[in-house]
Amino acid sequence: MTPRGTHRCDIYKVARQCGVKLFDGHLHSPTGRKAYECYCKPTVREIGRDHGEEHLRLVFMLMTGTKMNAAELFADMLKAVSSLLVENPDLVKSATLMKDFDGIDLGSLRRKTKAMKLPIENWKALLVLISVRFYQPIQGDLLDMIGEAA
């Protein structure tokens, strides 16, 4: 794995390729936010620097597959999706990854996470909730499930 913080990344180019518009955070208005608008350039820059342009592009593509999800380009959600891909590299090889992600209502997950007021950072809770959607049981887990069903 490439050491943290060593990738050159043009966040504006990657965002443009994905149809995302980057804005400065001080311009953000919660009531005027639209799909494909991102006001967390520091987080986008961090993800690109730590993992590269291809990784950042995939994060944006997964989050903008539906117009509804494209309105969830918040720092906590970007970090959660990025971490999901880093921690589960086999997901990137999945032929259905984009379709599977489109089936997740990221906004609903984010609202529920914020409402729970957990004692951990929201992005970590979001990572867990999204990870559950992609969990693939291993053989031992299947045997446990069969035992519980009996």
Side-chain angles (χ1 to χ4, degrees):
M1 183 169 173
T2 307
R4 183 176 166 93
T6 60
H7 297 277
R8 295 179 57 91
C9 182
D10 182 345
I11 63 171
Y12 298 98
K13 177 184 82 175
V14 174
R16 215 174 21 258
Q17 291 170 342
C18 299
V20 173
K21 297 174 190 149
L22 295 176
F23 296 97
D24 290 332
H26 71 276
L27 299 173
H28 179 251
S29 166
T31 58
R33 186 181 193 102
K34 296 182 178 92
Y36 304 98
E37 292 183 349
C38 180
Y39 292 87
C40 49
K41 286 195 287 188
T43 300
V44 171
R45 193 171 287 114
E46 179 184 340
I47 292 169
R49 182 185 60 233
D50 291 350
H51 306 292
E53 288 185 355
E54 288 302 315
H55 176 85
L56 179 60
R57 186 174 293 108
L58 182 56
V59 169
F60 276 147
M61 296 299 287
L62 291 173
M63 293 187 64
T64 59
T66 67
K67 189 172 183 177
M68 184 174 61
N69 282 347
E72 300 303 320
L73 294 170
F74 292 94
D76 54 1
M77 190 60 77
L78 288 162
K79 284 182 182 181
V81 172
S82 174
S83 294
L84 175 76
L85 297 173
V86 169
E87 298 300 322
N88 301 281
D90 288 342
L91 276 181
V92 177
K93 300 172 191 166
S94 170
T96 62
L97 181 61
M98 298 290 277
K99 181 177 171 266
D100 293 341
F101 235 89
D102 289 349
I104 300 172
D105 183 346
L106 298 178
S108 175
L109 288 182
R110 187 167 184 276
R111 285 186 299 278
K112 289 173 185 171
T113 299
K114 288 179 68 108
M116 286 190 273
K117 298 182 185 197
L118 298 168
I120 60 171
E121 296 170 85
N122 282 347
W123 75 265
K124 292 178 180 177
L126 288 166
L127 171 60
V128 171
L129 292 173
I130 297 169
S131 295
V132 168
R133 304 290 178 107
F134 293 98
Y135 174 71
Q136 295 290 322
I138 55 176
Q139 186 175 359
D141 292 335
L142 290 172
L143 295 175
D144 288 344
M145 286 183 218
I146 293 168
E148 290 170 7

Coordinates of all heavy atoms in Angstrom, one line a residue, residues 25-80:
G25 N -16.6 25.8 1.8 CA -17.5 25.6 2.9 C -18.3 26.8 3.4 O -19.4 26.7 3.8
H26 N -17.7 28.0 3.3 CA -18.3 29.1 3.9 C -19.5 29.6 3.0 O -20.4 30.3 3.4 CB -17.4 30.3 4.0 CG -16.9 30.9 2.8 ND1 -15.8 30.4 2.1 CD2 -17.3 32.0 2.1 CE1 -15.6 31.1 1.0 NE2 -16.5 32.1 0.9
L27 N -19.6 29.0 1.8 CA -20.7 29.3 0.9 C -21.9 28.4 1.1 O -23.0 28.6 0.5 CB -20.3 29.2 -0.6 CG -19.1 30.1 -1.0 CD1 -18.7 29.8 -2.4 CD2 -19.6 31.6 -0.9
H28 N -21.8 27.4 2.0 CA -22.8 26.4 2.2 C -24.0 27.0 2.9 O -23.9 27.7 3.9 CB -22.2 25.2 3.0 CG -23.2 24.2 3.3 ND1 -23.7 24.0 4.6 CD2 -23.8 23.3 2.5 CE1 -24.6 23.0 4.5 NE2 -24.7 22.5 3.3
S29 N -25.2 26.6 2.3 CA -26.4 27.0 2.9 C -27.3 25.7 3.0 O -27.6 25.1 2.0 CB -27.2 28.0 2.1 OG -28.5 28.1 2.5
P30 N -27.5 25.2 4.2 CA -28.3 23.9 4.3 C -29.6 23.9 3.6 O -30.0 22.8 3.1 CB -28.5 23.8 5.8 CG -27.5 24.7 6.5 CD -27.2 25.8 5.5
T31 N -30.2 25.0 3.4 CA -31.5 25.0 2.7 C -31.4 25.1 1.2 O -32.3 24.8 0.5 CB -32.4 26.2 3.2 OG1 -31.7 27.4 3.0 CG2 -32.8 26.0 4.7
G32 N -30.2 25.6 0.8 CA -30.0 25.8 -0.7 C -29.1 24.7 -1.3 O -28.8 24.8 -2.5
R33 N -28.8 23.7 -0.6 CA -27.9 22.6 -1.1 C -28.7 21.8 -2.2 O -29.8 21.4 -2.1 CB -27.5 21.7 0.0 CG -26.5 20.7 -0.4 CD -26.2 19.8 0.8 NE -25.0 19.1 0.5 CZ -23.8 19.3 1.0 NH1 -23.6 20.3 1.8 NH2 -22.8 18.6 0.7
K34 N -27.9 21.5 -3.3 CA -28.5 20.7 -4.4 C -27.7 19.5 -4.6 O -26.5 19.4 -4.2 CB -28.5 21.6 -5.7 CG -29.3 22.8 -5.6 CD -29.3 23.6 -6.9 CE -30.2 24.8 -6.9 NZ -29.5 26.0 -6.4
A35 N -28.2 18.6 -5.3 CA -27.5 17.3 -5.7 C -26.3 17.7 -6.5 O -26.3 18.7 -7.2 CB -28.4 16.4 -6.5
Y36 N -25.2 16.9 -6.3 CA -23.9 17.1 -7.0 C -23.1 18.2 -6.5 O -22.1 18.6 -7.1 CB -24.1 17.1 -8.5 CG -24.9 15.9 -9.1 CD1 -26.2 16.0 -9.3 CD2 -24.2 14.7 -9.3 CE1 -26.9 14.9 -9.8 CE2 -24.9 13.6 -9.8 CZ -26.3 13.7 -10.0 OH -27.0 12.6 -10.5
E37 N -23.5 18.9 -5.4 CA -22.8 20.0 -4.8 C -22.0 19.5 -3.6 O -22.6 18.8 -2.7 CB -23.7 21.2 -4.5 CG -24.3 21.8 -5.7 CD -25.1 23.1 -5.3 OE1 -25.4 23.3 -4.1 OE2 -25.5 23.8 -6.2
C38 N -20.8 19.8 -3.5 CA -19.9 19.4 -2.4 C -19.3 20.6 -1.8 O -18.6 21.4 -2.5 CB -18.9 18.4 -2.9 SG -17.8 17.8 -1.6
Y39 N -19.4 20.8 -0.5 CA -18.9 21.9 0.2 C -17.8 21.5 1.2 O -17.5 22.2 2.2 CB -20.0 22.7 1.0 CG -21.0 23.3 0.0 CD1 -22.0 22.6 -0.5 CD2 -20.8 24.6 -0.3 CE1 -22.9 23.3 -1.3 CE2 -21.6 25.3 -1.2 CZ -22.7 24.6 -1.7 OH -23.6 25.2 -2.6
C40 N -17.2 20.4 1.0 CA -16.2 19.9 2.0 C -14.9 19.5 1.2 O -14.4 18.4 1.3 CB -16.7 18.7 2.8 SG -17.5 17.4 1.8
K41 N -14.3 20.6 0.6 CA -13.1 20.4 -0.1 C -11.9 19.8 0.7 O -11.2 19.0 0.2 CB -12.6 21.7 -0.8 CG -13.5 22.0 -2.0 CD -12.9 23.1 -2.9 CE -12.9 24.4 -2.2 NZ -12.5 25.5 -3.1
P42 N -11.8 20.2 2.0 CA -10.7 19.6 2.8 C -10.8 18.1 2.9 O -9.8 17.4 2.8 CB -10.8 20.3 4.1 CG -11.5 21.6 3.9 CD -12.4 21.3 2.7
T43 N -12.0 17.6 3.0 CA -12.2 16.1 3.1 C -11.9 15.5 1.8 O -11.2 14.4 1.7 CB -13.6 15.8 3.6 OG1 -13.8 16.3 4.8 CG2 -13.9 14.3 3.6
V44 N -12.4 16.1 0.7 CA -12.1 15.5 -0.7 C -10.6 15.5 -0.9 O -10.1 14.6 -1.5 CB -12.9 16.4 -1.7 CG1 -12.5 16.0 -3.1 CG2 -14.4 16.3 -1.5
R45 N -9.9 16.6 -0.6 CA -8.5 16.7 -0.8 C -7.8 15.6 0.0 O -6.8 15.0 -0.4 CB -8.0 18.1 -0.3 CG -6.6 18.4 -0.7 CD -6.3 19.9 -0.5 NE -7.0 20.8 -1.4 CZ -7.9 21.6 -1.1 NH1 -8.3 21.8 0.1 NH2 -8.5 22.4 -2.1
E46 N -8.2 15.4 1.3 CA -7.6 14.4 2.1 C -7.8 13.0 1.5 O -6.8 12.2 1.5 CB -8.2 14.4 3.5 CG -7.7 13.4 4.5 CD -8.4 13.4 5.8 OE1 -9.1 14.4 6.2 OE2 -8.4 12.4 6.5
I47 N -9.0 12.7 1.1 CA -9.2 11.3 0.5 C -8.3 11.2 -0.8 O -7.7 10.2 -1.0 CB -10.7 11.2 0.1 CG1 -11.5 11.1 1.4 CG2 -10.9 9.9 -0.8 CD1 -13.0 11.1 1.2
G48 N -8.3 12.2 -1.6 CA -7.5 12.1 -2.9 C -6.0 12.0 -2.5 O -5.3 11.2 -3.2
R49 N -5.5 12.8 -1.6 CA -4.1 12.7 -1.2 C -3.7 11.4 -0.6 O -2.7 10.8 -0.9 CB -3.8 13.8 -0.2 CG -2.3 13.9 0.2 CD -2.1 15.0 1.3 NE -2.9 14.6 2.5 CZ -3.7 15.5 3.1 NH1 -3.9 16.7 2.6 NH2 -4.4 15.1 4.1
D50 N -4.6 10.8 0.2 CA -4.3 9.6 0.9 C -4.5 8.3 0.0 O -3.8 7.3 0.2 CB -5.2 9.4 2.1 CG -4.9 10.4 3.3 OD1 -3.9 11.1 3.2 OD2 -5.7 10.5 4.2
H51 N -5.4 8.4 -1.0 CA -5.7 7.2 -1.7 C -5.7 7.3 -3.2 O -5.8 6.3 -3.9 CB -7.1 6.7 -1.3 CG -7.2 6.5 0.2 ND1 -6.5 5.5 0.9 CD2 -7.9 7.2 1.1 CE1 -6.8 5.6 2.1 NE2 -7.7 6.6 2.3
G52 N -5.5 8.5 -3.7 CA -5.3 8.7 -5.2 C -6.6 9.1 -5.9 O -7.7 9.0 -5.4
E53 N -6.4 9.5 -7.2 CA -7.5 10.0 -8.0 C -8.5 8.9 -8.3 O -9.7 9.1 -8.3 CB -7.0 10.6 -9.3 CG -6.3 12.0 -9.1 CD -5.9 12.7 -10.4 OE1 -6.1 12.0 -11.5 OE2 -5.5 13.8 -10.3
E54 N -8.0 7.7 -8.6 CA -9.0 6.6 -9.0 C -9.9 6.3 -7.8 O -11.1 6.0 -8.0 CB -8.2 5.4 -9.4 CG -7.5 5.5 -10.8 CD -8.5 5.8 -11.9 OE1 -9.6 5.2 -11.9 OE2 -8.3 6.7 -12.7
H55 N -9.3 6.3 -6.6 CA -10.1 6.0 -5.4 C -11.2 7.1 -5.2 O -12.4 6.8 -5.0 CB -9.2 5.9 -4.2 CG -9.9 5.7 -2.9 ND1 -10.3 4.5 -2.4 CD2 -10.4 6.6 -2.0 CE1 -11.0 4.6 -1.3 NE2 -11.0 5.9 -1.0
L56 N -10.7 8.3 -5.3 CA -11.7 9.5 -5.1 C -12.7 9.4 -6.2 O -13.9 9.7 -5.9 CB -10.9 10.8 -5.2 CG -11.7 12.1 -5.1 CD1 -12.5 12.1 -3.7 CD2 -10.9 13.3 -5.2
R57 N -12.4 9.1 -7.4 CA -13.3 9.0 -8.5 C -14.4 8.0 -8.2 O -15.6 8.2 -8.4 CB -12.6 8.7 -9.8 CG -13.5 8.7 -11.1 CD -12.7 8.5 -12.4 NE -11.9 9.7 -12.6 CZ -10.5 9.6 -12.5 NH1 -9.9 8.5 -12.2 NH2 -9.8 10.7 -12.7
L58 N -14.0 6.8 -7.7 CA -14.9 5.8 -7.4 C -15.8 6.2 -6.2 O -17.1 5.9 -6.3 CB -14.2 4.5 -7.0 CG -15.1 3.3 -6.7 CD1 -16.0 2.9 -7.8 CD2 -14.2 2.0 -6.3
V59 N -15.3 6.9 -5.2 CA -16.1 7.4 -4.1 C -17.2 8.3 -4.7 O -18.4 8.1 -4.4 CB -15.3 8.1 -3.1 CG1 -16.2 8.9 -2.1 CG2 -14.4 7.1 -2.3
F60 N -16.8 9.3 -5.5 CA -17.8 10.2 -6.1 C -18.8 9.4 -7.0 O -20.0 9.7 -6.9 CB -17.1 11.2 -7.0 CG -16.6 12.4 -6.3 CD1 -15.4 13.0 -6.7 CD2 -17.2 12.9 -5.2 CE1 -14.9 14.2 -6.0 CE2 -16.8 14.1 -4.5 CZ -15.6 14.7 -4.9
M61 N -18.4 8.5 -7.8 CA -19.3 7.7 -8.7 C -20.3 6.9 -7.9 O -21.5 6.9 -8.2 CB -18.5 6.8 -9.6 CG -17.6 7.5 -10.6 SD -18.4 8.6 -11.7 CE -19.2 7.4 -12.8
L62 N -19.8 6.3 -6.8 CA -20.8 5.5 -6.0 C -21.8 6.4 -5.3 O -23.0 6.0 -5.2 CB -20.0 4.7 -4.9 CG -19.1 3.6 -5.4 CD1 -18.3 3.0 -4.2 CD2 -20.0 2.5 -6.0
M63 N -21.4 7.6 -4.9 CA -22.3 8.5 -4.2 C -23.2 9.3 -5.1 O -24.1 10.0 -4.6 CB -21.5 9.4 -3.3 CG -20.8 8.7 -2.2 SD -20.0 9.8 -1.0 CE -21.4 10.7 -0.4
T64 N -22.9 9.3 -6.4 CA -23.7 10.1 -7.3 C -24.5 9.3 -8.3 O -24.9 9.8 -9.3 CB -22.9 11.2 -8.1 OG1 -21.8 10.5 -8.8 CG2 -22.2 12.2 -7.1
G65 N -24.6 8.0 -8.0 CA -25.3 7.1 -8.9 C -26.8 7.4 -9.1 O -27.4 7.1 -10.1
T66 N -27.4 8.0 -8.0 CA -28.8 8.5 -8.0 C -28.8 9.9 -7.6 O -27.9 10.4 -6.8 CB -29.7 7.7 -7.1 OG1 -29.3 7.9 -5.7 CG2 -29.6 6.2 -7.4
K67 N -29.7 10.7 -8.1 CA -29.8 12.1 -7.7 C -30.0 12.2 -6.2 O -29.5 13.1 -5.6 CB -31.0 12.8 -8.5 CG -31.0 14.3 -8.3 CD -32.0 14.9 -9.3 CE -31.9 16.4 -9.1 NZ -32.8 17.1 -10.0
M68 N -30.8 11.3 -5.6 CA -31.0 11.4 -4.2 C -29.7 11.2 -3.4 O -29.5 12.0 -2.5 CB -32.0 10.3 -3.8 CG -32.5 10.3 -2.4 SD -33.8 9.0 -2.1 CE -32.9 7.5 -2.5
N69 N -28.9 10.2 -3.8 CA -27.6 10.0 -3.1 C -26.6 11.1 -3.4 O -25.8 11.5 -2.6 CB -27.1 8.7 -3.5 CG -27.7 7.5 -2.7 OD1 -28.4 7.8 -1.7 ND2 -27.5 6.3 -3.1
A70 N -26.8 11.7 -4.6 CA -25.8 12.8 -5.0 C -26.0 14.1 -4.1 O -25.2 14.9 -4.1 CB -26.0 13.2 -6.5
A71 N -27.1 14.1 -3.4 CA -27.3 15.2 -2.4 C -26.7 15.0 -1.1 O -26.8 15.8 -0.2 CB -28.8 15.5 -2.2
E72 N -26.0 13.8 -1.0 CA -25.4 13.5 0.3 C -23.8 13.6 0.3 O -23.2 12.8 1.0 CB -25.8 12.0 0.7 CG -27.3 11.9 0.8 CD -27.9 12.8 1.9 OE1 -27.2 13.0 2.9 OE2 -29.0 13.3 1.6
L73 N -23.3 14.5 -0.4 CA -21.9 14.7 -0.5 C -21.4 15.5 0.7 O -20.8 16.6 0.5 CB -21.5 15.4 -1.8 CG -21.8 14.5 -3.1 CD1 -21.6 15.4 -4.4 CD2 -20.9 13.3 -3.1
F74 N -21.6 14.9 1.9 CA -21.1 15.5 3.1 C -19.8 14.8 3.5 O -19.6 13.7 3.2 CB -22.2 15.3 4.2 CG -23.4 16.1 4.0 CD1 -24.5 15.5 3.4 CD2 -23.6 17.4 4.4 CE1 -25.7 16.2 3.2 CE2 -24.7 18.2 4.2 CZ -25.8 17.6 3.6
A75 N -19.0 15.5 4.3 CA -17.7 15.0 4.8 C -17.9 13.6 5.4 O -17.1 12.7 5.1 CB -17.0 16.0 5.7
D76 N -18.8 13.5 6.3 CA -18.9 12.2 7.0 C -19.3 11.1 6.1 O -18.7 10.0 6.2 CB -19.9 12.3 8.2 CG -21.3 12.8 7.8 OD1 -21.6 13.1 6.6 OD2 -22.2 12.9 8.7
M77 N -20.1 11.3 5.1 CA -20.5 10.3 4.2 C -19.4 9.9 3.2 O -19.1 8.8 2.9 CB -21.8 10.7 3.4 CG -22.3 9.5 2.6 SD -22.9 8.1 3.5 CE -24.4 8.7 4.2
L78 N -18.6 11.0 2.8 CA -17.5 10.7 1.9 C -16.4 9.9 2.6 O -15.9 9.0 2.0 CB -16.9 12.1 1.5 CG -17.7 12.9 0.5 CD1 -17.2 14.3 0.4 CD2 -17.5 12.3 -0.9
K79 N -16.2 10.2 3.9 CA -15.2 9.4 4.7 C -15.6 8.0 4.8 O -14.8 7.1 4.8 CB -15.0 10.1 6.0 CG -14.1 11.3 6.0 CD -14.0 11.8 7.5 CE -13.2 13.1 7.5 NZ -13.0 13.5 8.9
A80 N -16.9 7.8 5.1 CA -17.5 6.4 5.3 C -17.3 5.6 4.0 O -16.9 4.5 4.1 CB -18.9 6.5 5.8

